[in-house]
Amino acid sequence: MSSARGFLCGYFCLASRPSARRPPLLCQRAAGASSALPGLPLLGGARRRLLALRGLSPAARCAAGAGAGPCAPRWRGCGGLGAAGGGFRPSRVAVVVKTTRYEFEQQRYRYAGLSEEDLKQLLALKGSNYAGLLERHCIHTKNVEHVVDSLRNEKIEVRLVKRREYNEETVRWADAVISAGGDGTMLLAASKVFDKFKPVIGVNTDPERSEGHLCLPVRYTHSFPEALQKLYRGEFRWQWRQRIRLYLEGTGINPTPVDLHEQQLSQEQHSRAHISERFQDQRYDISGPHLLPVRALNEVFIGESLSSRASYYEISVDDGPWEKQKSSGLNVCTGTGSKAWSYNINKVAHQAVEEILKIAKKHGSLTMPLNTELVQKVTNDYNESLLYSPEEPKMFFSIREPIVNRVFSSSRQRGFSSKVCVRSRCWDACMVVDGGTSFEFNDGAIASIMIDTEDALCTVLLEE
């Protein structure tokens, strides 16, 4: 957090904010428009169930569906599987495998025809440990083989794909998608899944070096057959992680994304990539709201590509008045993302809390004794109030380091919302989804950011 101002107010008020209401589709759009995904038709059975159950609460949908509603994906070759209690056994699984740092370095210098010894020396010059990279690569590879072998031993058809090979056709083919890597691989795997009834399951293939917050518990990395048996026996529950959808409109917009996963782009290369995509795609003259072909599982970030340049934009929260702002950028996250970048933007340090409480005590506003235990409790309580369930259909926005003077203001630096609209006044800005997909977002472009429950990602929580 850039400043401790407003901390005490945030501490006492943030956790008590009411849950966000279901968002309307767009700023200045008529309520009652269809919430279906344009251009992304649901499968026949799924469509019929959604039409029949639309308007009911999630609990009512489960009850009405008797185990076959939105709470229960159906699977090929599994006898019309119902609720989680009946278990599930997919016939086809796509395993999306991350690119390790060792593989990345190999690919990076492949054009130069370097031998393995040349690569070793080059990495040493950069201060990187060749042996360490190779060791982590081997650990990852061994764990991927364990997952694949476990699936094939259960007579499950497996399609192993690397990042660049992963596409919509692979998703359509599979009954379920498994990401083999860390949280970044899980985000990539989820980014191409638009079918609400197709689970995405993460396996952390290098637990010592990867957090794997979105993956199965670490012990299943080495005992994946046990995880499969729990799925078969129904010893899990479906977890519907809410995702953010984005509409783009305005002047000179470019709805074509640049994929950042497979390339480490410099700021100049990033700009060139956007210019190249603009000339290759003729849709950038679209005047009306355009639903972008991605969903954010963690967060959406809007800001200038050059981090030292202030981002200039106008923002409206929950159809409120537009406010001109300059800041280091805007972050809008889901409940899943509330534990990621958003948390690190907004969390307060023990030192900051202690100094604020000392000032409060000095002014006679704090009568209780000031000690380490109190400081730690206040710190923990505030930081925990920044987190919320991945299944809650609301967003949390954060203005990074807002500039406040007689021209620019920031009435709310952070808070829960159901809809955020942003009009760009930037020179060379991007709207980045989950750190992997970037859209040009310059002067005149307008983004409408919201959650639709039909975009939820199906994941599993195993019973322990």
Side-chain angles (χ1 to χ4, degrees):
M1 192 164 106
S2 60
S3 169
R5 284 179 301 178
F7 160 72
L8 288 177
C9 177
Y11 170 65
F12 289 113
C13 299
L14 183 58
S16 63
R17 290 191 187 278
S19 298
R21 64 185 182 278
R22 180 183 176 87
L25 270 181
L26 278 182
C27 304
Q28 303 118 11
R29 278 201 99 170
S34 171
S35 62
L37 299 179
L40 298 170
L42 293 169
L43 299 177
R47 177 186 292 275
R48 287 192 297 273
R49 290 195 297 276
L50 280 179
L51 289 175
L53 300 170
R54 180 169 291 166
L56 297 179
S57 67
R61 291 184 185 187
C62 293
C71 303
R74 290 182 179 272
W75 306 93
R76 244 190 310 266
C78 58
L81 177 67
F88 99 82
R89 183 188 294 266
S91 298
R92 299 175 179 176
V93 171
V95 179
V96 184
V97 184
K98 79 171 182 179
T99 299
T100 65
R101 173 71 186 280
Y102 172 77
E103 290 174 308
F104 173 78
E105 295 292 353
Q106 276 192 324
Q107 295 169 8
R108 189 178 184 184
Y109 297 107
R110 183 174 296 167
Y111 70 92
L114 297 181
S115 67
E116 210 53 20
E117 185 60 32
D118 293 334
L119 178 61
K120 183 176 181 180
Q121 293 179 7
L122 182 60
L123 290 174
L125 288 174
K126 297 196 303 178
S128 296
N129 186 337
Y130 171 86
L133 296 182
L134 182 58
E135 179 187 10
R136 306 322 302 180
H137 170 75
C138 292
I139 290 173
H140 160 76
T141 302
K142 180 180 178 180
N143 288 329
V144 170
E145 290 175 351
H146 172 66
V147 170
V148 172
D149 290 344
S150 301
L151 292 168
R152 287 176 174 161
N153 288 340
E154 295 293 330
K155 309 303 180 185
I156 297 172
E157 190 176 351
V158 178
R159 183 180 290 185
L160 193 67
V161 294
K162 301 290 280 186
R163 282 179 178 268
R164 289 181 178 177
E165 302 160 351
Y166 183 53
N167 53 34
E168 288 76 10
E169 189 279 325
T170 300
V171 174
R172 287 193 297 269
W173 172 86
D175 294 327
V177 177
I178 292 178
S179 73
D183 288 337
T185 310
M186 179 67 174
L187 293 173
L188 169 72
S191 69
K192 298 187 185 301
V193 177
F194 293 95
D195 185 345
K196 186 177 179 181
F197 305 100
K198 186 163 295 184
V200 180
I201 302 170
V203 178
N204 189 347
T205 55
D206 192 2
E208 291 182 12
R209 298 295 179 90
S210 176
E211 178 65 26
H213 170 70
L214 301 177
C215 302
L216 294 177
V218 170
R219 69 189 187 88
Y220 295 113
T221 297
H222 307 293
S223 58
F224 193 69
E226 183 182 346
L228 285 178
Q229 292 305 316
K230 287 195 172 187
L231 294 175
Y232 296 164
R233 295 193 297 265
E235 296 174 4
F236 69 95
R237 80 168 181 87
W238 302 115
Q239 182 176 51
W240 303 91
R241 293 182 179 268
Q242 299 300 321
R243 296 191 287 182
I244 294 172
R245 60 166 51 188
L246 300 156
Y247 289 87
L248 193 59
E249 59 184 309
T251 58
I253 67 168
N254 178 16
T256 305
V258 169
D259 188 353
L260 306 180
H261 276 120
E262 282 296 332
Q263 46 194 339
Q264 299 294 320
L265 295 176
S266 68
Q267 188 265 337
E268 181 182 0
Q269 289 172 318
H270 192 187
S271 298
R272 284 206 304 265
H274 275 298
I275 293 172
S276 174
E277 292 289 352
R278 180 190 297 174
F279 282 108
Q280 291 175 16
D281 197 303
Q282 300 302 312
R283 296 179 298 162
Y284 67 93
D285 284 333
I286 294 174
S287 58
H290 179 78
L291 178 61
L292 297 181
V294 293
R295 301 293 180 269
L297 180 57
N298 260 1
E299 77 274 312
V300 176
F301 175 76
I302 293 175
E304 286 279 1
S305 299
L306 188 62
S307 59
S308 60
R309 181 186 294 153
S311 301
Y312 178 24
Y313 54 87
E314 298 172 37
I315 183 172
S316 168
V317 177
D318 291 333
D319 294 321
W322 288 88
E323 183 176 74
K324 290 183 179 180
Q325 291 186 349
K326 273 192 175 181
S327 72
S328 295
L330 166 69
N331 179 292
V332 184
C333 77
T334 62
T336 298
S338 69
K339 293 185 177 181
W341 191 5
S342 174
Y343 179 77
N344 289 291
I345 290 173
N346 294 291
K347 70 179 181 181
V348 293
H350 183 280
Q351 180 182 354
V353 174
E354 184 176 20
E355 292 172 359
I356 291 172
L357 291 178
K358 283 181 179 179
I359 294 173
K361 191 172 183 66
K362 178 182 177 181
H363 288 277
S365 302
L366 184 67
T367 56
M368 63 182 69
L370 183 58
N371 52 44
T372 302
E373 183 179 351
L374 174 64
V375 172
Q376 193 61 56
K377 184 178 187 307
V378 173
T379 303
N380 292 343
D381 285 355
Y382 177 80
N383 289 340
E384 288 174 8
S385 72
L386 300 170
L387 308 177
Y388 62 105
S389 169
E391 295 179 284
E392 287 194 62
K394 62 181 181 181
M395 306 180 298
F396 187 80
F397 72 91
S398 308
I399 310 298
R400 296 178 65 208
E401 303 165 341
I403 296 173
V404 179
N405 52 34
R406 63 182 182 82
V407 178
F408 298 100
S409 61
S410 180
S411 57
R412 291 178 65 194
Q413 186 173 342
R414 69 187 69 82
F416 291 108
S417 66
S418 59
K419 179 172 62 175
V420 176
C421 295
V422 183
R423 179 184 290 113
S424 176
R425 297 300 182 208
C426 297
W427 291 98
D428 183 24
C430 293
M431 180 164 60
V432 182
V433 179
D434 286 340
T437 304
S438 176
F439 295 88
E440 185 178 354
F441 191 67
N442 291 324
D443 191 20
I446 302 173
S448 298
I449 306 169
M450 62 198 71
I451 283 181
D452 189 307
T453 54
E454 301 304 335
D455 296 332
L457 181 74
C458 182
T459 61
V460 298
L461 287 178
L462 298 181
E463 293 180 1
E464 296 298 328

